[in-house]
Amino acid sequence: TPGIKVLMPALSPTMEEGNIVKWLKKEGDTVNVGDALCEIETDKAVVTMESSDEGVLAKILVEEGSKNVRLGSLIGLLVEEGQDWKQVEIPADAGAPSSVAPPAPAPAPAAPSVSAPPKLQHQPGTMQVRLSPAARNILETHGLDPSNVTPTGPRGIFTKEDALKLLQEKQKGKPSELKPVVSPAPAAVPSPSQATAVTSYPRPAIPPVSTPGQPAALGTFTEIPASNIRRVIAKRLTESKTTIPHAYAAADCVIDAVLKLRKELAKDDIKVSVNDFIIKATAVTLKQMPDVNVTWDGEACRRLQSIDISIAVATDRGLITPIIKDAAAKGIKEIAASAKALAKKARDGKLLPEEYQGGSFSISNLGMFGISGFTAVINPPQACILAVGRARPELKIVEDEEGNEKLEQHQLMTVTLSSDGRVVDDELASKFLETLKANIENPMLLALN
């Protein structure tokens, strides 16, 4: 019975591959249009994939836990209602390496170099073995053949552990064949005592890390695979810091009035955080100064009509920025409820794409971690991000109505604006901070805007 193909979908604009977190249907289950089929980790969040066809789930071709499944890869098969789902025809290309990873390069009939170690996948007459980068390095360094060993990695990948096991077996049988291929390195010439140690004993099971010919110390590092989200964060941070001319300006805000108003609201069972006041004050300031509510598209500046505030939320999978839409039009209580709900969805990995894509201005608050002040990296294509520190008590000299000086304690908070110098110059950034400071220090006026 021919099946209806279920392909890995594009669940975010920047997604190139995804991880199958969990199948929500099992083989033999009836599937209707719109039913949740499986959970997929994209480069942004964990998103539920809904079926665009109906029928019976006949075959799951990519199991739970599979990583880096390319867009358009075949992950499952449906059959029409009434057909024998157990007799579904599995396409010949299903499960091929190209469905879950980039295809291996075709063997080139180049003459072998004398000094280069053998390329394992180019040997004629041997089966093609899919190698992890660490395994390839070990096998080529020691001239080992993996074709007679069954790989233990996911989807038949020959792992680093497989390579080390093969190396240990080789050591036990033929120590003399385990001499490493070492290229000349003038800066790392071993001493006579070191050279004696290398030639007197068989090669250790751990390949060299820094100095050729020298065994690495055991347990020097733990390799942690990067998730899709972490890889995208790394890419965007690098893009931001290397292509955007960051400028920084800081201001100290007196938040005594904010803390007082917050206590009064709490008496009426209205719970809002200091950060909610910062969000509201920022949105009002952007409404007063629309030239800061802008993005840069690579060639021109765009002034946005809607004030959408992205709030940075730290999750186990990395940083993500859900958006409070049209924040200037929302009251402080509504902002508090939105921020709380979005932060929870972000930490649970349940944000929808429209809830984190876009935004016109970002806010990152590390005050809850005891940070006094910091600078944040701009979230492109936005032009600005505001870094918020903790509230701290400080003594200030003030004059009363009669001109007498006295010491008073105030709660201060440092806010630091990172701005794109191409669209927000130093003067505009300074005026923005001046206006923001005034709005934060007069929270009763925020309700009128």
Side-chain angles (χ1 to χ4, degrees):
T1 305
I4 303 167
K5 292 184 178 182
V6 180
L7 305 178
M8 173 62 83
L11 297 172
S12 86
T14 54
M15 177 180 168
E16 295 178 358
E17 53 189 25
N19 303 335
I20 305 291
V21 177
K22 183 180 181 182
W23 278 95
L24 304 174
K25 296 281 187 181
K26 59 181 184 292
E27 292 179 1
D29 284 358
T30 300
V31 178
N32 295 312
V33 174
D35 281 1
L37 269 183
C38 61
E39 291 182 350
I40 295 172
E41 182 188 6
T42 71
D43 54 347
K44 300 285 189 182
V46 177
V47 181
T48 301
M49 174 189 173
E50 297 179 352
S51 177
S52 57
D53 296 289
E54 60 181 28
V56 176
L57 181 57
K59 188 69 178 175
I60 293 174
L61 295 170
V62 181
E63 298 295 333
E64 290 183 4
S66 297
K67 307 283 186 182
N68 306 331
V69 184
R70 302 290 297 179
L71 292 189
S73 298
L74 184 61
I75 62 174
L77 291 168
L78 298 173
V79 295
E80 293 181 4
E81 195 79 43
Q83 292 184 331
D84 186 358
W85 61 271
K86 294 181 180 179
Q87 301 298 321
V88 66
E89 293 179 10
I90 299 175
D93 60 344
S98 60
S99 67
V100 290
S113 169
V114 174
S115 60
K119 297 296 180 182
L120 296 163
Q121 289 193 330
H122 295 181
Q123 295 173 355
T126 58
M127 60 180 287
Q128 293 286 310
V129 180
R130 298 175 60 221
L131 306 172
S132 72
R136 181 186 298 278
N137 182 45
I138 295 170
L139 295 175
E140 293 187 351
T141 300
H142 301 282
L144 302 175
D145 182 7
S147 59
N148 297 324
V149 178
T150 304
T152 62
R155 307 184 305 281
I157 294 176
F158 196 91
T159 66
K160 176 183 175 182
E161 288 71 24
D162 295 331
L164 291 176
K165 185 178 178 182
L166 181 60
L167 182 57
Q168 286 175 330
E169 291 175 358
K170 202 82 170 177
Q171 270 188 330
K172 293 174 185 176
K174 300 177 183 178
S176 60
E177 292 183 5
L178 298 176
K179 294 179 181 177
V181 178
V182 180
S183 57
V189 179
S191 64
S193 61
Q194 292 172 328
T196 304
V198 172
T199 55
S200 301
Y201 299 98
R203 177 75 174 174
I206 305 297
V209 172
S210 55
T211 309
Q214 298 300 311
L218 286 170
T220 52
F221 67 89
T222 301
E223 188 171 311
I224 303 172
S227 66
N228 290 343
I229 295 173
R230 291 279 181 193
R231 283 198 294 269
V232 170
I233 290 171
K235 181 180 177 181
R236 285 179 62 79
L237 283 174
T238 304
E239 173 194 343
S240 178
K241 287 293 283 186
T242 55
T243 64
I244 296 177
H246 283 57
Y248 307 101
D252 287 333
C253 304
V254 179
I255 61 166
D256 295 349
V258 165
L259 296 175
K260 182 181 178 182
L261 180 55
R262 187 180 174 222
K263 282 185 179 180
E264 291 175 0
L265 291 172
K267 292 176 184 177
D268 296 329
D269 206 29
I270 299 173
K271 296 180 180 179
V272 294
S273 69
V274 173
N275 198 53
D276 297 326
F277 281 101
I278 301 294
I279 294 169
K280 176 63 177 177
T282 301
V284 170
T285 307
L286 289 170
K287 184 179 178 182
Q288 294 167 335
M289 302 183 64
D291 286 345
V292 184
N293 194 52
V294 295
T295 61
W296 175 259
D297 69 356
E299 295 181 358
C301 172
R302 293 182 178 180
R303 184 191 293 172
L304 305 180
Q305 299 300 317
S306 181
I307 297 171
D308 302 326
I309 305 290
S310 304
I311 52 172
V313 176
T315 72
D316 293 338
R317 292 174 295 276
L319 200 70
I320 194 163
T321 51
I323 300 165
I324 298 177
K325 303 282 180 69
D326 200 14
K330 286 182 168 68
I332 190 73
K333 186 178 177 181
E334 192 178 356
I335 285 175
S338 296
K340 187 176 180 180
L342 287 169
K344 184 179 186 307
K345 288 185 75 173
R347 294 189 180 101
D348 293 342
K350 301 298 183 184
L351 284 174
L352 299 173
E354 59 266 25
E355 291 176 319
Y356 59 79
Q357 290 172 10
S360 58
F361 189 103
S362 290
I363 296 176
S364 180
N365 191 335
L366 295 182
M368 67 288 291
F369 299 111
I371 302 301
S372 297
F374 68 105
T375 56
V377 181
I378 294 169
N379 183 16
Q382 296 175 15
C384 296
I385 183 169
L386 188 73
V388 183
R390 67 180 176 89
R392 64 188 190 278
E394 285 198 9
L395 292 173
K396 290 182 68 177
I397 298 176
V398 295
E399 286 189 4
D400 60 19
E401 294 176 356
E402 299 173 0
N404 299 316
E405 292 184 343
K406 62 177 180 177
L407 276 176
E408 284 186 358
Q409 179 175 289
H410 293 279
Q411 293 287 333
L412 298 185
M413 172 181 281
T414 300
V415 293
T416 306
L417 183 71
S418 302
S419 54
D420 184 340
R422 295 171 299 187
V423 288
V424 177
D425 58 27
D426 290 343
E427 182 184 7
L428 183 58
S430 300
K431 288 181 178 178
F432 176 84
L433 278 180
E434 183 182 24
T435 309
L436 176 65
K437 175 180 165 70
N439 284 328
I440 291 173
E441 293 180 353
N442 297 278
M444 293 300 292
L445 297 178
L446 295 178
L448 303 176
N449 286 276

